[in-house]
């Protein structure tokens, strides 16, 4: 006789005779049956329509998520589903087309249906924390299927922190691309890389953040999924463009409501009467008939993604989408036409339009401006004096073997700037008297056209040569006025200046912890900006007499700036170079041997950024102008950027400015 067999479930006979003979047995059996029923096989888009709820904290359209609102996102989300063989999904897109919410849908799907370790990367750790508060927490709280799987943060040992969310079978870790530790913290089956073009060139100097993050997924082989999303930046340095061009380059084709021809939407086919953006209509590529905004929902619903190239890697698919596809109620064709008209005449505004509306890269003009034309534009004011619209001063110092060169710049509304002084301190970093002279410069003041005395708000000094000596001097004078800077090649959209970070400084052979505060500067960003500003068209004398204003960013040079200095200011050009793998990148290269004027300008511009000029509210510029006796420019176009503060009567402006803003 065989031994009795242990069963995990009741036998059929017992179910009918014994087990069901008590109150509640039927409900128990139903629950048991539900537990044995596998979850339905859903794609990411199907899961989103079934389980995702949008919070009023994180969405302008709260309520149940509907993929039909943005039909173009369906194929992108479904490529992230486990059943799709795609391993890498690249999405180069305009701003505000629903990409981030699609990424959050994927996070929710992973937590609920395909658990595993997941890494979500924002440009910086601070942005990762903000995204966690504003996006991920509402995602979990508003969707019941997720709320029951992620314990509340207040629960003991919940595993729910600001940058980490534990759930059965996996964990979501959020970090910044500027943190090498965060990027290499764990293996990850899923990797969500958001706004990759805003990532720094290197994570804590340990390498490309995208490469570091993707390396976390390699152990999962064919089961891994990587989602790269971004609005693009500059041609040749844009990560997302490089990844898209290596993919199959899919475009979203939609039918013409008149002739039915399938086409992807191009900005060139959007037409309107000049000065009347409300007349904007899209003209069919085949029949040239105007298509109105109200036709867009039906077009989007019938659209489909089509590959337009052959991918270098069959496991990678790429999607591109402009704001022309934005659903009704978001960004209309009239809004796009209005944005284009507003951007006309400004390189900076045109770049923003191309990046954020068209989802395309901007081609940076890297040719050096004609130094002779710049020399012809020199203006007359005395050396060492500040023109009336200059509102605060910064300086950039370049340390050479036998000297320190310093340029003092005045800044006004809209980052309009004037070269105020050029100082050469002979002797070099090996001579104490050289550093004494630089210290004396910190205490010097320059007379404003209105009669006030202005001191330096900030002096940025390069640490690339004789680093220890620069750190030692900066530590001795304090970091109230002085900002040691380190230049890094490459563009950085998130922030051209990062820091400060504490670095060791050598003093008499001793290593000092937290000895100096170092700022990192993306020099390419400020060099390109300087060249754009130098190329700005200027009003004629007659237009100035009639009350015209110089454009924001205009660079004014005095008559005493000699041709050698101007040549140094235009001593580099931006060229495209290719690495051994064939990837193109932009690189600044010298066309003249000496470039100290350009370097000093970049450092002085970084000092203005560190002082806060790019972030000050505009409303207080008028207060500054009033105290310096300058006619208010609040209504001028230049009045839209930044604000320094002003010193009360009888006090050096830099001292009072620092105390008021809490910089030291």
């Amino acid at each position: 006789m065989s031994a009795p067999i242990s069963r995990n479930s009741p036998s059929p006979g017992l179910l009918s005779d014994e087990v069901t003979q008590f109150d509640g047995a039927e409900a128990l059996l139903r629950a048991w049956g539900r537990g044995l029923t596998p979850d339905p096989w859903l794609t990411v888009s199907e899961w989103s329509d079934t389980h995702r709820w949008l919070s009023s904290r994180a969405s302008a359209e709260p309520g149940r998520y509907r993929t039909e609102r943005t039909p173009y996102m369906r194929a992108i989300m479904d490529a992230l589903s486990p059943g799709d063989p795609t391993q890498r999904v690249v999405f180069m897109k305009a701003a505000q087309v629903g990409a981030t919410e699609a990424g959050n849908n994927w996070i929710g799907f992973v937590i609920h249906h395909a658990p595993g370790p997941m890494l979500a990367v924002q440009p910086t750790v601070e942005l990762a924390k903000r995204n966690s508060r504003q996006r991920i927490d509402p995602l979990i709280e508003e969707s019941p299927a997720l709320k029951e799987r992620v314990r509340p943060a207040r629960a003991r040992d919940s595993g729910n922190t600001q940058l980490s969310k534990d759930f059965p079978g996996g964990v979501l870790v959020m970090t910044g691309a500027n943190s090498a530790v965060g990027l290499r913290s764990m293996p990850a089956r899923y990797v969500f890389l958001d706004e990759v073009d805003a990532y720094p060139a290197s994570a804590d100097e340990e390498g490309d953040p995208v490469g570091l993050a993707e390396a976390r997924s390699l152990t999962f082989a064919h089961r891994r999924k990587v989602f790269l999303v971004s609005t693009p930046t500059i041609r040749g340095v844009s990560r997302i463009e490089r990844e898209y061009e290596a993919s199959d380059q899919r475009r979203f084709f939609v039918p013409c409501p008149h002739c039915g021809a399938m086409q992807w939407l191009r900005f060139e086919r959007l037409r309107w009467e000049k000065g009347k953006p409300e007349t904007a209509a899209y003209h069919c590529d085949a029949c040239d008939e105007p298509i109105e905004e109200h036709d867009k929902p039906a077009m989007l619903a019938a659209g489909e993604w089509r590959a337009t190239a052959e991918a270098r890697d069959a496991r990678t698919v790429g999607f591109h989408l402009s704001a022309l596809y934005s659903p009704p109620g978001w960004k209309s064709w009239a809004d796009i036409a209005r944005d284009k008209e507003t951007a006309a005449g400004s390189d900076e505004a045109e770049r923003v339009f191309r990046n954020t509306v068209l989802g395309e890269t901007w081609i940076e003009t890297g040719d050096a401006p004609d130094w002779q034309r710049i020399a012809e534009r020199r203006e007359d004011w005395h050396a060492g004096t500040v023109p009336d619209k200059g509102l605060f001063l910064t300086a950039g110092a370049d340390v050479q073997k036998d000297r320190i060169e310093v340029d003092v710049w005045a800044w006004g509304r809209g980052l309009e700037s004037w070269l105020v002084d050029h100082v050469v301190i002979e002797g070099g970093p090996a001579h104490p008297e050289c550093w004494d002279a630089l210290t004396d410069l910190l205490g010097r003041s320059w007379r404003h056209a209105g009669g006030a005395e202005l001191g330096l708000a900030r002096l940025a000094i390069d640490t690339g040569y004789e680093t220890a000596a620069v750190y030692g001097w900066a530590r001795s004078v304090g970091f109230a006025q002085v900002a040691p800077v380190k230049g890094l090649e490459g563009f950085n959209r998130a922030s051209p200046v990062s820091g400060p970070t504490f670095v060791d400084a050598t003093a008499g052979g001793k290593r000092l912890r937290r000895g100096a505060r170092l700022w990192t500067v993306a020099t390419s960003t400020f060099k390109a900006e300087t060249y754009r500003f130098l190329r700005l068209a200027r009003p004629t004398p007659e237009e100035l007499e009639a009350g015209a204003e110089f454009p924001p960013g205009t660079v004014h040079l005095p008559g005493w700036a000699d041709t050698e200095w101007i040549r140094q200011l235009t001593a580099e050009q931006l060229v495209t170079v290719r690495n051994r793998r064939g990837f193109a990148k932009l690189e600044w290269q010298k066309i003249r041997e000496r470039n100290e004027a350009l370097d000093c300008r970049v450092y002085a511009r970084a000092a203005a950024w560190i002082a806060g000029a790019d972030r000050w509210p505009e409303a207080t510029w008028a207060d500054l102008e009033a105290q310096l006796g300058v006619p208010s420019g609040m209504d001028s176009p230049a009045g839209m950027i930044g604000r320094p503060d002003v010193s009360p009567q009888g006090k050096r402006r830099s001292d009072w400015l620092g105390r008021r803003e809490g910089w030291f």
Side-chain angles (χ1 to χ4, degrees), residues 283-449:
H283 288 251
C284 173
D285 204 21
C287 66
D288 205 40
E289 287 293 317
I291 303 172
E292 302 298 332
E293 186 80 23
H294 60 76
D295 294 317
K296 196 187 292 186
M299 294 169 64
L300 294 179
E304 61 183 39
W305 287 99
R306 295 180 180 178
T308 62
E310 185 174 343
R312 298 176 191 171
D313 182 354
R315 299 168 299 179
T316 299
V317 298
F319 302 86
H320 177 269
L321 201 77
S322 74
L324 291 166
Y325 293 91
S326 292
W330 290 17
K331 197 171 191 69
S332 68
W333 288 337
D335 292 334
I336 294 173
R338 189 173 295 108
D339 288 348
K340 177 62 176 176
E341 288 198 343
T342 302
S346 167
D347 275 359
E348 189 65 28
E350 287 278 7
R351 183 175 73 168
V352 171
F353 176 81
R354 181 168 290 276
N355 291 166
T356 63
V357 177
L358 302 186
E360 298 174 357
T361 51
W362 170 258
I363 301 175
E364 191 68 68
T365 304
D367 294 336
D370 183 356
W371 72 268
Q372 292 176 316
R373 185 178 181 187
I374 294 173
E376 292 170 357
R377 290 178 167 182
R378 286 177 291 186
E379 305 166 33
D380 291 327
W381 71 82
H382 295 295
T385 60
V386 183
D388 60 348
K389 291 188 178 180
L391 304 177
F392 72 107
L393 302 179
T394 67
D398 186 25
V399 180
Q400 301 288 326
K401 181 178 180 180
D402 59 349
R403 67 194 184 283
I404 298 178
E405 298 212 11
V406 184
D407 284 336
V408 179
W409 287 85
W411 303 89
R413 284 179 177 265
L415 295 178
E416 192 172 357
S417 60
W418 297 260
L419 177 64
V420 171
D421 210 346
H422 173 64
V423 179
V424 179
I425 303 174
E426 301 291 351
H431 296 77
E433 58 271 19
C434 184
W435 296 111
D436 292 341
L438 189 59
T439 302
D440 291 341
L441 192 67
L442 295 177
R444 182 179 163 185
S445 61
W446 288 260
R447 181 168 293 275
H448 189 270

Side-chain angles (χ1 to χ4, degrees), residues 453-468:
E453 295 288 331
L454 273 66
L456 291 176
R458 286 275 179 165
L459 180 145
I461 182 169
D462 180 34
T463 61
Y465 181 74
E466 289 288 351
T467 304

Side-chain angles (χ1 to χ4, degrees), residues 198-212:
Y199 289 5
S202 180
D204 293 335
E205 302 186 23
E206 293 193 19
D208 176 33
V210 172
L212 292 175

Side-chain angles (χ1 to χ4, degrees), residues 7-62:
R7 301 179 182 272
N8 290 326
S9 59
S11 66
L14 290 175
L15 285 177
S16 58
D17 298 333
E18 300 177 15
V19 174
T20 59
Q21 302 303 313
F22 62 88
D23 293 340
E26 187 175 347
L28 177 63
L29 290 173
R30 283 199 303 268
W32 175 60
R34 285 197 302 270
L36 293 178
T37 303
D39 290 332
W41 185 264
L42 300 177
T43 63
V44 173
S45 66
E46 291 169 341
W47 180 92
S48 304
D49 290 334
T50 305
H51 296 286
R52 178 76 196 277
W53 289 83
L54 299 174
S55 165
S56 58
R57 284 197 293 158
S59 174
E61 299 180 1

Side-chain angles (χ1 to χ4, degrees), residues 123-124 127 195 197-200 233 491-497 609:
T124 66
L127 286 175
E195 289 300 337
D197 270 17
Y199 289 5
T233 49
F491 295 83
N492 191 333
R493 187 182 68 182
S495 174
V497 181
W609 193 98

